[in-house]
Amino acid sequence: MEKEEKKFVNKAEEDEMEIYGYDLCRWKLVLVTVGVICSGGLLLLLLYWMPQWRVKATCKRTTLKDCEVVLLRTTDEFKIWFCAKVCITPSLGANPLQNPNPIVHKVSNGHAVHFSESAPEENKNYLKKYLPIRYFTHHSVKYFWNYSVQSFDVVRGLDESTFCSSIHNEHSTGLTKGMHDYRKAFYGVNEIAVKVPSIFKLLIKEVLNPFYIFQLFSVILWITDEYHYYALAIVIMSVISIVSSLYTIRKQYVMLYDMVAVHSIVRVSVCRGNQEIEEILSTDLVPGDVMLIPSNGTIMPCDAVLLSGTCIVNESMLTGESVPVTKINLPNPSEYPKAMGDEIYSPEVHKRHTLFCGTNVIQTRFYTGELVKALVVRTGFSTAKGQLVRSILYPKPTDFKLYRDAYLFLLFLVVVAGFGFLYTVVNSILNEVPARTIIIESLDIITITVPPALPAAMTAGIVYAQRRLKKIGIFCISPQRINICGQLNLVCFDKTGTLTEDGLDLWGIQRVENARFLLPEERACSESLLKSEFVACMATCHSLTKIEGVLSGDPLDLKMFEAIGWILEESTEEETALHNRIMPTVVRPSKQLFPESKQATNQEMELFELSTSYEIGIVRQFPFSSVLQRMCVIARVLGEKRMDAYMKGAPEVIASLCKQETVPVDFECVLEEYTKQGFRVIALAHRKLESKLTWHKVQTINRDAIESNMDFMGLIIMQNKLKQETPAVLEDLRKANIRTVMVTGDNMLTAISVARDCGMILPQDKVIIAEALPPKDGQAARINWHYADTLAKCTSSSPAINSEDIPVKLVHESLEDRQTQYHFAMNGKSFAVILEHFQDLVPKLVLYGTVFARMAPDQKTQLVEALQNVDYYVGMCGDGANDCGALKRAHGGISLSELEASVASPFTSRTPSISCVPKLIREGRAALITSFCVFKFMALYSIIQYISVTLLYSILSNLGDFQFLFIDLAIILVVVFTMSLNPAWKELVARRPPSGLISGPLLCSVLSQIIICFAFQAFGFFWVKQQSWYEPWTTESDVCNVLDVINTSSANHGNETLHDEHNIKNYENTTLFFISSFQYLIVAIVFSKGKPFRQPCYKNFLFVISVIVLYVFIFFIMLHPVESIDTFLELVCVPYEWRLRILILVILNAIVSVLTENVLLDMILWKVVFNRDKQGEYRLTIPQPPQEAVDRCGVCFLSSLFGCREKTPKAKYMHLAQELQVDPEWPPKPRTTTEAKVPSQENGSYQIITVT
């Protein structure tokens, strides 16, 4: 076949993949089958682990349009391969959104009628017109063959390329039964299917892990060599590990299934094209169906756009904010001649008109008897909830250097084992050893060098850390993440319910009269203010509604309304059905606000009667806009002819829209005082409208015509309370050099205010607001930079504010003090524009970005990935389902909720407080250092035993079975499982543990101990041969005193056969056994590091007791031999003088090992390398301590001695921070704009220019 050009699926999207086509090749399949049989199944295992090899070994390359199997490879840094089988299904057409002809024909309104009801003979002819539609499924998404682009593609719903006018004019009457069935063939069942794998399937997947396969190989080899006890111990440990892992994985699947399955299938009513209403299951819905929303509400089974009526929806599943949201029907552009024009419908842009899957419709409202209808636009995994579940089911792999380095180190051990294997084979052949012995011994040296117990040993520290976390109320469903948490250097926090309490409190009000501020007032419900315009604004300018008689809405609006003690009354469904949709909501003061009539004077009676008639009707509401940072209502007092406009919002925004003569001159100073104290400040304004504005005109008037020439009325001061522990925890993280970032679905004003209050942004720090605007009307995408000082930072709630309309108080044009930190703040819309059009700026912005507001769930995940792309180890702390994707994607996600978020999050805290974050990091650091200690110890254990066996192989000897057993069970397993018990250090320190094994200090530590152990073993091995009493040991040998003769002779008879077969008993064996036994304990102590990440090893009582007992026992059997023990361990008698010399060797070995590790490496070399690495470290808040300067001076000489030079930091964020420190163009200058030009054809990147 001719070479096909490289093709992609999901082009330019987050999950972009390369795709290749293959056909099954029979002769290749036969060859592979033969290879599998000849290799005893090993080839099958290899092909199971490598899907790309499996496809290439059994298939031949072909074009995509003819292929039977597709091979996919992700285009990200992981380059992961997948394969999928191509299926074929018959269909009447190739595009589900177009009518298949000639079977279905169109009518004038653009809707399909029905499939032709013809005779059976005709149906046979129609069958010939079926098209074979080819598709494959990957990660719960179907990819169909697209004839137009000649590649596979996802079938889109009505959420792309559908105009708003088309939704009303072409799709509003629903689908015919025939068209519905046609589309269902493409879109399938509308469900978010989470299949819980069977125990057997999970078991097979777990057992086929390479480590367990190697353990199986080792166990079989040991059983063949009659080494049963240790094999049994390894089997027991493996079974426990597998069962524990299976339980955890299955529990996760069941939790996710339960979360998705609830309310997933409901009965819904849909409109058919012939005006009939049909009741179907929600699983049968397809894009294009028009469903009726019941008046008592429902759980949405799909994403749908509202065509008529209004709905009150709880979207906490998506946003995390448990505030009812009012959804209004999508306006029909053809009905508004003065409209801006038609536009393409998008669920994100038109989210005020979109009902999302999984959200709870609490109430519906309709007018003049019409039904509340919604057009289905997305189903199944394409919905917002489906994408969230997919991000949990198929997260991107988390790349952690420790595990990569562990595999590299194991590869190094395999290479070492290979040399040992060759040496053993050659040496055995030269000495004419039997073939069976050669095979067993040469394979045995591989199991010695690569310890099968390593996975269990590495898991021990994590299991202990998991147990300690459980004691402090932190539950873990992904234990491997505990190690990764030890590397976290940045933590993203959700705001609501995480950093702050859920609600707001009204602190007071400060009214304005005659352009002057009055004194602050604590209460707004006083008698004198009852009929004031200020209170009228508080009573009407909100988005509150009643749900089952209970007032619900935004917490700020709720607190504001409750503070004045008014009553809200909404028209009933019966009343609404009799009137037009402009039937107003009415607010009025409660009777308790009026003074009681003590004497029935005419004046008081008049006032009392007035109380029953003073009502304000809300005629029209301009909802709160995060872009405009304000909301506005038009209201009319009962009996008045003229209407009033009331507006509230961010103070600068409101002040800019008011007459300047009504704004106090000290407005900025007063505002600054409040914001410095961390208050949330809202400004109010009012305007009397012209009498010519009628009710009907008000319904069509432009918002801009109302929101101008307002009268400034004053300020409402709200208190957004932080949780008590928040500032202290963030301060601890700051001192530990861990960056903190806020990523929230709330608005910018609140987010920046909270960031100031909790210490995330320090008082002297500057905030730069990045306002990114997408391309429009031929203009390129651009970013407007606003340098805001304390006042602007605390009160500007969105970067998307027009700099020409709003006066922002700016800092000095040049940043003379480079030590002053700056922070970027932006909202979700700006973040999306920057990701799409300013990719080169993303690393720079996330490097200093601190506040990310109005972030959608997928944007939170994108932010986490952007931070990971610059080599941050990212933690995420949140409490809502909207955080699920980010919690799963982060290196360490911790949920403060035991609901939806806990399903996705590796960690769940029983206490809803961020104090769990430093605890988790401390335990993570302790577990990480424990993993390093255990890995180094296991590596040394393997090498020490490898050295012993290799030296003994040179004389055709080996360690005895019970010597192996004593070393492996009594020493190694006891030490490994007790050295992991060190608890975490009591506080976070500013330095982090190394992230990988392939680092200077760790490699030096391991290699130095290997050299020391080899030197002392080799010295003992050759020194024993130089002794005057030495001769090759035989059963008749007697080099001991008279007391030892009995021991020696009594042991001869029972072990003669053993000597003949394996030559275990000899002086070299006994010498190396004692030296190596002590070496295991020496390196265990040397590698058991404590401060600053773990408690000192002397506080680990079990470890201390274990080591002491083992030392005493080995000293005892070495200096005072016991006949039964010597017989059991196959030791020979050596002179007491030689035993003392071995003791001296062991003591010297211990001294050299301890001095090398604790003095040469820890105090000298470690400091040189560590300080060199830290020179490029990016620190957001902490300046370099003076002591570090002294340390650096102290190690300058050593740095030059070891050849250490100033190197570019490995972490991208460190390297970038260094570059930006000397970049005169960064940060951007005030009042400048950065524009993105059209991408050049050569490299596809955007040219970025900055204009003033």
Side-chain angles (χ1 to χ4, degrees):
M1 55 158 280
E2 56 184 77
K3 192 172 180 181
E4 188 179 29
E5 62 174 314
K6 186 184 292 185
K7 292 191 176 179
F8 299 86
V9 291
N10 306 323
K11 182 71 174 176
E13 295 181 21
E14 184 184 358
D15 52 351
E16 179 184 84
M17 293 178 290
E18 298 173 7
I19 182 169
Y20 306 93
Y22 286 87
D23 269 346
L24 200 62
C25 182
R26 296 188 184 280
W27 66 266
K28 282 188 174 184
L29 197 58
V30 171
L31 283 180
V32 168
T33 305
V34 172
V36 168
I37 295 171
C38 294
S39 64
L42 289 178
L43 178 60
L44 188 63
L45 273 176
L46 191 63
L47 297 181
Y48 170 79
W49 293 328
M50 301 288 186
Q52 70 273 29
W53 293 5
R54 180 167 73 247
V55 172
K56 292 176 181 178
T58 58
C59 302
K60 59 181 179 181
R61 184 77 186 275
T62 185
T63 58
L64 281 177
K65 66 178 181 179
D66 302 316
C67 67
E68 298 175 359
V69 177
V70 292
L71 191 59
L72 304 162
R73 187 177 74 163
T74 60
T75 56
D76 55 17
E77 67 273 21
F78 299 104
K79 307 292 184 188
I80 302 173
W81 291 90
F82 303 95
C83 63
K85 184 180 179 181
V86 176
C87 302
I88 299 177
T89 183
S91 175
L92 293 170
N95 189 337
L97 298 181
Q98 293 177 358
N99 293 327
N101 294 310
I103 307 301
V104 176
H105 59 275
K106 296 182 180 180
V107 292
S108 58
N109 67 354
H111 291 283
V113 186
H114 58 275
F115 286 105
S116 183
E117 302 290 343
S118 52
E121 297 80 19
E122 293 175 343
N123 284 336
K124 292 179 182 178
N125 295 329
Y126 288 144
L127 288 174
K128 298 177 182 177
K129 298 179 181 179
Y130 276 81
L131 289 174
I133 302 298
R134 307 171 69 253
Y135 71 93
F136 68 89
T137 304
H138 172 68
H139 285 178
S140 301
V141 174
K142 283 186 177 180
Y143 293 83
F144 285 84
W145 179 255
N146 188 327
Y147 287 95
S148 59
V149 297
Q150 289 294 297
S151 183
F152 286 95
D153 196 9
V154 179
V155 175
R156 311 289 177 178
L158 297 175
D159 56 319
E160 293 187 16
S161 306
T162 305
F163 284 91
C164 293
S165 59
S166 174
I167 286 177
H168 281 280
N169 301 333
E170 298 179 16
H171 300 281
S172 60
T173 58
L175 300 175
T176 63
K177 188 72 173 69
M179 192 65 184
H180 172 272
D181 293 339
Y182 167 62
R183 288 193 179 180
K184 193 174 179 183
F186 286 89
Y187 294 107
V189 178
N190 173 36
E191 64 175 350
I192 302 170
V194 177
K195 296 180 181 177
V196 180
S198 65
I199 295 290
F200 179 75
K201 188 174 181 180
L202 287 174
L203 177 65
I204 294 299
K205 188 175 181 181
E206 187 73 15
V207 167
L208 292 182
N209 183 292
F211 266 122
Y212 290 124
I213 296 297
F214 180 68
Q215 283 185 337
L216 180 64
F217 162 75
S218 302
V219 166
I220 293 172
L221 181 66
W222 293 333
I223 291 173
T224 306
D225 200 24
E226 298 180 352
Y227 186 41
H228 300 104
Y229 298 100
Y230 188 63
L232 181 63
I234 291 295
V235 168
I236 292 172
M237 285 191 297
S238 299
V239 168
I240 293 172
S241 176
I242 289 171
V243 170
S244 173
S245 179
L246 288 183
Y247 173 77
T248 303
I249 294 170
R250 186 169 171 82
K251 185 180 177 182
Q252 282 182 265
Y253 272 108
V254 171
M255 288 175 65
L256 184 59
Y257 175 83
D258 291 341
M259 183 191 92
V260 172
V262 62
H263 304 300
S264 60
I265 301 178
V266 295
R267 296 199 72 86
V268 295
S269 297
V270 295
C271 298
R272 291 299 173 212
N274 52 8
Q275 302 300 317
E276 291 182 2
I277 293 178
E278 180 185 0
E279 192 174 83
I280 62 173
L281 288 175
S282 59
T283 50
D284 293 327
L285 288 172
V286 297
D289 274 330
V290 173
M291 63 180 290
L292 305 182
I293 311 296
S295 58
N296 59 347
T298 184
I299 302 289
M300 286 299 297
C302 58
D303 286 354
V305 59
L306 206 53
L307 297 175
S308 62
T310 61
C311 294
I312 298 169
V313 185
N314 185 339
E315 291 188 325
S316 59
M317 197 284 297
L318 288 179
T319 65
E321 308 289 334
S322 55
V323 177
V325 179
T326 301
K327 300 283 187 174
I328 59 176
N329 61 300
L330 182 72
N332 188 349
S334 59
E335 293 181 3
Y336 297 95
K338 294 183 179 179
M340 296 289 292
D342 204 357
E343 58 181 338
I344 293 176
Y345 166 76
S346 166
E348 286 70 36
V349 175
H350 300 94
K351 61 183 177 182
R352 286 189 61 83
H353 315 293
T354 304
L355 304 173
F356 292 100
C357 178
T359 58
N360 185 9
V361 178
I362 304 169
Q363 232 179 53
T364 63
R365 292 182 186 164
F366 54 89
Y367 304 91
T368 58
E370 67 179 74
L371 300 174
V372 179
K373 298 179 181 179
L375 174 70
V376 178
V377 292
R378 295 188 296 202
T379 57
F381 279 99
S382 298
T383 63
K385 182 178 180 180
Q387 291 169 9
L388 180 63
V389 173
R390 279 188 72 223
S391 70
I392 298 170
L393 281 174
Y394 313 107
K396 278 191 175 181
T398 301
D399 191 23
F400 190 41
K401 198 169 185 292
L402 170 66
Y403 301 129
R404 277 188 285 122
D405 289 354
Y407 283 113
L408 288 175
F409 203 88
L410 285 176
L411 187 63
F412 166 73
L413 292 179
V414 168
V415 172
V416 172
F419 285 115
F421 178 86
L422 294 175
Y423 169 77
T424 304
V425 171
V426 172
N427 186 58
S428 299
I429 291 173
L430 292 176
N431 288 278
E432 300 180 352
V433 176
R436 183 179 183 278
T437 306
I438 294 176
I439 293 171
I440 291 177
E441 288 188 348
S442 57
L443 291 177
D444 193 40
I445 203 163
I446 296 176
T447 66
I448 289 171
T449 315
V450 184
L454 182 61
M458 292 285 284
T459 304
I462 297 173
V463 170
Y464 296 144
Q466 188 176 5
R467 190 181 302 167
R468 290 194 297 268
L469 286 172
K470 190 174 182 179
K471 286 181 181 178
I472 58 177
I474 300 174
F475 299 92
C476 175
I477 61 174
S478 181
Q480 296 300 325
R481 297 286 184 113
I482 297 176
N483 268 346
I484 304 178
C485 288
Q487 275 295 305
L488 296 183
N489 53 1
L490 184 147
V491 182
C492 296
F493 291 97
D494 183 35
K495 184 190 71 65
T496 308
T498 303
L499 297 174
T500 66
E501 302 288 354
D502 285 329
L504 290 166
D505 292 316
L506 181 70
W507 180 84
I509 62 172
Q510 189 159 11
R511 295 183 296 124
V512 170
E513 285 187 6
N514 300 323
R516 298 183 67 180
F517 277 113
L518 303 180
L519 292 175
E521 299 167 76
E522 186 177 346
R523 296 173 68 245
C525 57
S526 61
E527 180 185 345
S528 60
L529 298 176
L530 187 61
K531 297 180 64 177
S532 67
E533 291 167 344
F534 192 95
V535 170
C537 184
M538 294 177 69
T540 58
C541 198
H542 54 70
S543 57
L544 300 178
T545 185
K546 276 194 172 180
I547 300 172
E548 296 180 356
V550 179
L551 206 59
S552 302
D554 187 274
L556 186 147
D557 289 346
L558 207 54
K559 287 286 183 184
M560 187 178 71
F561 191 77
E562 289 173 351
I564 58 174
W566 281 42
I567 297 171
L568 181 140
E569 293 180 347
E570 293 180 323
S571 54
T572 63
E573 293 179 5
E574 291 77 13
E575 292 172 337
T576 306
L578 300 173
H579 297 83
N580 200 349
R581 65 183 62 197
I582 56 175
M583 188 69 183
T585 297
V586 174
V587 292
R588 59 180 176 81
S590 62
K591 293 181 180 179
Q592 289 80 1
L593 295 178
F594 290 91
E596 294 184 5
S597 179
K598 293 180 181 179
Q599 296 178 359
T601 62
N602 292 336
Q603 186 177 1
E604 289 172 341
M605 285 298 294
E606 216 173 285
L607 180 62
F608 186 76
E609 289 171 3
L610 182 63
S611 70
T612 61
S613 60
Y614 184 64
E615 296 179 349
I616 304 177
I618 302 173
V619 179
R620 187 175 181 193
Q621 185 184 92
F622 296 101
F624 176 81
S625 165
S626 59
V627 175
L628 302 175
Q629 285 308 300
R630 62 183 182 269
M631 78 167 291
C632 180
V633 295
I634 300 175
R636 187 170 74 173
V637 178
L638 185 65
E640 293 281 339
K641 290 184 178 180
R642 295 175 67 179
M643 298 185 194
D644 298 274
Y646 297 102
M647 182 170 62
K648 74 169 187 194
E652 289 94 340
V653 180
I654 302 301
S656 67
L657 298 172
C658 290
K659 302 171 187 173
Q660 287 305 305
E661 60 270 19
T662 65
V663 180
V665 292
D666 58 345
F667 164 73
E668 289 184 353
C669 297
V670 171
L671 191 56
E672 187 172 3
E673 285 301 314
Y674 285 125
T675 52
K676 275 183 178 177
Q677 298 174 55
F679 289 112
R680 167 85 183 270
V681 185
I682 305 294
L684 305 183
H686 163 261
R687 172 186 166 192
K688 272 283 184 188
L689 298 179
E690 298 81 358
S691 56
K692 64 180 181 180
L693 277 178
T694 64
W695 275 42
H696 290 283
K697 286 184 178 179
V698 163
Q699 301 309 313
T700 57
I701 195 169
N702 196 320
R703 182 172 185 164
D704 294 336
I706 299 295
E707 295 175 338
S708 60
N709 293 318
M710 309 285 281
D711 294 330
F712 192 81
M713 291 199 300
L715 305 173
I716 298 175
I717 299 98
M718 309 290 290
Q719 209 168 7
N720 193 4
K721 286 185 179 178
L722 290 170
K723 288 185 177 178
Q724 187 176 0
E725 63 280 354
T726 296
V729 170
L730 295 183
E731 177 66 13
D732 288 344
L733 294 176
R734 188 180 69 84
K735 287 179 179 177
N737 201 26
I738 296 172
R739 258 190 78 191
T740 52
V741 171
M742 185 188 299
V743 48
T744 175
D746 212 338
N747 64 63
M748 181 76 76
L749 175 62
T750 307
I752 296 182
S753 174
V754 171
R756 283 279 182 198
D757 295 345
C758 66
M760 199 175 280
I761 299 176
L762 298 181
Q764 71 273 16
D765 291 353
K766 300 178 175 66
V767 171
I768 305 172
I769 296 173
E771 171 202 358
L773 303 174
K776 191 175 182 181
D777 299 332
Q779 292 185 346
R782 65 184 188 278
I783 305 176
N784 296 327
W785 307 99
H786 306 296
Y787 272 48
D789 67 357
T790 308
L791 169 63
K793 281 183 289 191
C794 290
T795 57
S796 176
S797 53
S798 169
I801 297 174
N802 194 324
S803 57
E804 296 177 1
D805 295 340
I806 301 163
V808 180
K809 189 174 177 182
L810 300 171
V811 298
H812 297 294
E813 300 266 341
S814 60
L815 288 177
E816 296 174 0
D817 183 9
R818 281 281 173 180
Q819 296 303 315
T820 302
Q821 298 295 336
Y822 57 90
H823 306 259
F824 287 109
M826 67 192 74
N827 65 7
K829 288 185 178 178
S830 294
F831 183 71
V833 172
I834 291 168
L835 277 184
E836 183 177 357
H837 299 284
F838 298 90
Q839 294 179 6
D840 294 341
L841 284 181
V842 171
K844 297 180 181 180
L845 291 175
V846 298
L847 183 65
Y848 291 96
T850 301
V851 175
F852 296 85
R854 292 293 184 204
M855 298 287 277
D858 60 324
Q859 289 179 325
K860 292 186 178 185
T861 308
Q862 289 169 352
L863 174 62
V864 169
E865 291 176 355
L867 290 165
Q868 290 172 335
N869 288 340
V870 290
D871 293 343
Y872 274 114
Y873 285 97
V874 182
M876 174 72 196
C877 183
D879 67 336
N882 63 319
D883 302 316
C884 284
L887 287 168
K888 191 78 173 178
R889 184 68 188 99
H891 290 104
I894 180 163
S895 166
L896 304 186
S897 162
E898 295 188 36
L899 302 176
E900 294 98 336
S902 64
V903 179
S905 177
F907 303 95
T908 302
S909 173
R910 178 168 286 173
T911 307
S913 159
I914 66 168
S915 58
C916 60
V917 174
K919 292 176 183 176
L920 176 62
I921 296 174
R922 284 194 294 108
E923 288 295 346
R925 289 181 173 184
L928 183 58
I929 289 297
T930 298
S931 294
F932 285 134
C933 294
V934 169
F935 198 94
K936 291 197 298 181
F937 174 72
M938 293 299 287
L940 259 295
Y941 147 65
S942 299
I943 296 297
I944 290 171
Q945 200 167 79
Y946 174 80
I947 293 168
S948 302
V949 170
T950 305
L951 289 172
L952 290 174
Y953 275 4
S954 68
I955 59 170
L956 299 181
S957 180
N958 198 353
L959 292 173
D961 285 350
F962 288 101
Q963 289 176 344
F964 274 122
L965 193 66
F966 175 76
I967 292 169
D968 293 342
L969 283 181
I971 298 180
I972 302 305
L973 290 187
V974 170
V975 167
V976 159
F977 289 117
T978 55
M979 78 186 298
S980 304
L981 286 169
N982 288 40
W985 187 246
K986 55 192 175 184
E987 61 186 20
L988 279 176
V989 295
R991 59 188 265 196
R992 289 183 297 135
S995 60
L997 292 164
I998 313 299
S999 63
L1002 291 175
L1003 284 179
C1004 286
S1005 173
V1006 171
L1007 291 175
S1008 62
Q1009 295 301 326
I1010 289 174
I1011 292 169
I1012 292 168
C1013 291
F1014 173 75
F1016 278 95
Q1017 277 201 58
F1019 183 76
F1021 180 78
F1022 292 110
W1023 194 21
V1024 68
K1025 295 181 178 181
Q1026 306 302 319
Q1027 302 304 309
S1028 57
W1029 48 264
Y1030 176 82
E1031 60 181 16
W1033 189 88
T1034 65
T1035 54
E1036 305 299 326
S1037 297
D1038 179 16
V1039 296
C1040 298
N1041 54 32
V1042 178
L1043 294 175
D1044 291 325
V1045 171
I1046 300 172
N1047 296 342
T1048 307
S1049 60
S1050 64
N1052 288 339
H1053 180 70
N1055 291 284
E1056 194 168 343
T1057 305
L1058 180 65
H1059 163 70
D1060 292 338
E1061 286 189 4
H1062 300 287
N1063 188 27
I1064 301 299
K1065 288 189 155 190
N1066 52 64
Y1067 301 120
E1068 294 89 337
N1069 172 289
T1070 301
T1071 300
L1072 290 183
F1073 173 78
F1074 285 127
I1075 294 175
S1076 64
S1077 295
F1078 281 111
Q1079 284 182 337
Y1080 298 126
L1081 297 176
I1082 290 168
V1083 295
I1085 294 172
V1086 165
F1087 288 156
S1088 282
K1089 298 291 179 66
K1091 187 178 178 181
F1093 305 117
R1094 300 197 307 168
Q1095 297 283 358
C1097 64
Y1098 60 79
K1099 288 191 176 182
N1100 184 349
F1101 300 112
L1102 282 177
F1103 175 70
V1104 172
I1105 292 170
S1106 302
V1107 169
I1108 290 175
V1109 168
L1110 286 168
Y1111 263 125
V1112 170
F1113 177 76
I1114 299 171
F1115 271 127
F1116 177 74
I1117 63 173
M1118 185 178 75
L1119 298 178
H1120 185 78
V1122 179
E1123 178 187 353
S1124 58
I1125 295 176
D1126 282 359
T1127 302
F1128 179 77
L1129 294 176
E1130 301 177 72
L1131 300 175
V1132 300
C1133 181
V1134 294
Y1136 193 76
E1137 176 191 353
W1138 179 242
R1139 296 176 189 272
L1140 291 177
R1141 289 181 179 178
I1142 293 176
L1143 178 61
I1144 293 170
L1145 272 180
V1146 168
I1147 293 172
L1148 284 174
N1149 189 345
I1151 292 172
V1152 173
S1153 292
V1154 171
L1155 288 177
T1156 302
E1157 181 73 17
N1158 295 333
V1159 178
L1160 179 64
L1161 296 179
D1162 278 3
M1163 296 181 64
I1164 301 174
L1165 188 60
W1166 175 281
K1167 186 169 289 187
V1168 171
V1169 177
F1170 181 71
N1171 275 327
R1172 182 194 67 193
D1173 289 344
K1174 277 174 64 176
Q1175 287 167 6
E1177 185 168 351
Y1178 166 65
R1179 296 166 177 251
L1180 183 61
T1181 55
I1182 300 180
Q1184 194 85 346
Q1187 182 61 35
E1188 285 195 7
V1190 177
D1191 291 341
R1192 286 172 65 182
C1193 291
V1195 298
C1196 269
F1197 171 74
L1198 291 167
S1199 295
S1200 59
L1201 183 65
F1202 284 102
C1204 295
R1205 296 285 184 268
E1206 297 254 349
K1207 292 187 177 181
T1208 302
K1210 292 181 181 178
K1212 293 177 185 176
Y1213 71 90
M1214 291 183 183
H1215 177 63
L1216 185 60
Q1218 280 188 345
E1219 288 182 350
L1220 294 181
Q1221 283 178 355
V1222 295
D1223 186 352
E1225 299 298 323
W1226 194 264
K1229 299 292 186 296
R1231 286 177 285 194
T1232 59
T1233 298
T1234 301
E1235 291 185 356
K1237 290 295 184 184
V1238 180
S1240 58
Q1241 297 297 324
E1242 291 79 10
N1243 53 20
S1245 62
Y1246 285 87
Q1247 297 176 348
I1248 297 176
I1249 62 168
T1250 301
V1251 297
T1252 56

